[in-house]
Amino acid sequence: MQNRNINDMRYLIAIDSDGTLRHSDGTITSITKDVINSVIQKGNIVVVCTARPRYHTSKIANEINANQYFISSNGTEIFDNINNEIIDCSYISSDDCEKIFEDVSNMNIRAIFVCDNTEYVTQFTRNDSQTLLNNNNFCEVLSKGVKQIMIIGSDKEKIKKYKQEVEEQYKLRIIDTSNDKKEEIWFSIISKDASKGTALEKLANYLSIPIQNTIAIGNDNNDLSMIKAAGVGVAVSNATIVLKNNADKIIDSNDEDGIAKYLSEMFL
């Protein structure tokens, strides 16, 4: 039997957003958009897979015209944007949410509880998709289900101390992609059953695409699970050492349109 060419097979391609798809200034170049569009036209499926909430992920997916499916909130939700339908979602238990809300209130820490398409935020909000969280509307948060909790602030020692407490006291997954050089540091809390890699496997199964026909491209340690899960794991050259050490292939950086070059070589 003759071996099939890659162009005869349907692929699922998961691409991280910040530091991977987008340049350092937040833009996505026209050449990257054009290449992704050509790859999709050949019957492949491109999904944005990011730590960002649904409303932000949707904007990125629409910008590159890969707006059918996407994975948001560090792999906790797989969403069908065309049919406005949740394909799969992992939630943090109500008990853990209540305890964490009590913790951050007592410690005066800013926390973002990600629910559905809204972020409920302690202390202050930064955009129209965020709602100020307090004792009066916390029941509303629990009723919707919490996908991800982000702990963020400029008091770095306090944030690091609380991260250690969460690691010791809760059976949850901690994801830290922050940078000490920045004004604020952060970490995210999700269900122990969730990850970008798990979401990629679930979406591949949902779409009846063999896992060996999947490609994952990322730059940070929260991309490690999907790099390992995918048939081909790809790291941009600006990725962390850990990610590059686990990748099957290293491509040019986000600022050098590494994704456009790689996908062109693979599919076009």
Side-chain angles (χ1 to χ4, degrees):
M1 188 177 192
Q2 188 176 5
N3 290 333
R4 290 188 301 167
N5 185 277
I6 192 170
N7 291 316
D8 298 326
M9 296 183 283
R10 187 186 190 208
Y11 270 72
L12 172 61
I13 306 156
I15 306 176
D16 173 60
S17 172
D18 300 311
T20 305
L21 176 65
R22 303 200 294 177
H23 278 214
S24 298
D25 63 4
T27 60
I28 304 172
T29 61
S30 58
I31 187 171
T32 296
K33 295 176 186 178
D34 289 343
V35 168
I36 288 174
N37 191 252
S38 296
V39 169
I40 293 171
Q41 287 179 350
K42 286 182 173 290
N44 302 291
I45 297 175
V46 175
V47 298
V48 176
C49 186
T50 177
R52 299 280 191 169
R54 187 199 302 168
Y55 67 85
H56 195 283
T57 308
S58 177
K59 293 177 183 177
I60 302 167
N62 285 330
E63 186 176 353
I64 63 171
N65 201 31
N67 57 352
Q68 171 78 64
Y69 307 102
F70 55 74
I71 298 168
S72 61
S73 298
N74 271 313
T76 60
E77 183 181 86
I78 306 170
F79 195 73
D80 182 338
N81 196 41
I82 300 298
N83 296 306
N84 194 33
E85 177 185 6
I86 296 172
I87 295 172
D88 189 86
C89 195
S90 299
Y91 298 101
I92 301 170
S93 73
S94 294
D95 286 345
D96 284 337
C97 289
E98 289 180 7
K99 291 174 185 175
I100 292 171
F101 180 57
E102 183 179 355
D103 290 344
V104 298
S105 298
N106 291 336
M107 296 180 69
N108 193 32
I109 292 176
R110 187 168 184 262
I112 303 172
F113 289 70
V114 182
C115 305
D116 194 33
N117 207 25
T118 304
E119 293 178 309
Y120 291 82
V121 190
T122 62
Q123 297 186 4
F124 59 89
T125 63
R126 284 178 172 162
N127 63 58
D128 292 338
S129 294
Q130 295 183 336
T131 298
L132 194 63
L133 176 62
N134 52 49
N135 289 318
N136 295 327
N137 63 358
F138 189 67
C139 287
E140 180 182 327
V141 171
L142 296 181
S143 68
K144 289 185 174 183
V146 177
K147 297 176 284 187
Q148 178 172 236
I149 303 172
M150 184 178 185
I151 309 297
I152 183 169
S154 56
D155 190 334
K156 298 180 181 180
E157 291 307 311
K158 184 188 285 188
I159 300 297
K160 290 177 182 178
K161 179 183 177 183
Y162 185 54
K163 178 189 170 188
Q164 183 176 350
E165 290 179 11
V166 174
E167 289 173 333
E168 293 171 352
Q169 297 175 19
Y170 297 88
K171 294 180 179 179
L172 296 167
R173 188 183 300 276
I174 307 298
I175 299 172
D176 187 351
T177 57
S178 65
N179 187 333
D180 250 337
K181 295 179 181 179
K182 294 192 175 182
E183 183 179 346
E184 293 181 320
I185 63 169
W186 59 84
F187 66 91
S188 294
I189 305 167
I190 61 175
S191 165
K192 61 180 176 58
D193 299 320
S195 71
K196 286 188 175 186
T198 300
L200 176 61
E201 291 173 341
K202 287 180 177 179
L203 183 56
N205 183 64
Y206 178 81
L207 297 171
S208 299
I209 295 177
I211 196 66
Q212 62 265 28
N213 282 20
T214 62
I215 298 171
I217 310 173
N219 78 302
D220 215 333
N221 292 345
N222 65 327
D223 299 315
L224 183 60
S225 61
M226 73 172 185
I227 291 294
K228 289 184 173 182
V232 181
V234 181
V236 286
S237 63
N238 54 293
T240 64
I241 296 297
V242 170
L243 202 72
K244 287 193 280 191
N245 285 344
N246 284 275
D248 299 306
K249 185 175 180 63
I250 299 173
I251 62 175
D252 284 347
S253 74
N254 61 323
D255 288 329
E256 298 170 306
D257 290 323
I259 286 177
K261 296 173 185 175
Y262 172 68
L263 294 181
S264 293
E265 292 171 3
M266 288 290 290
F267 295 97
L268 306 181

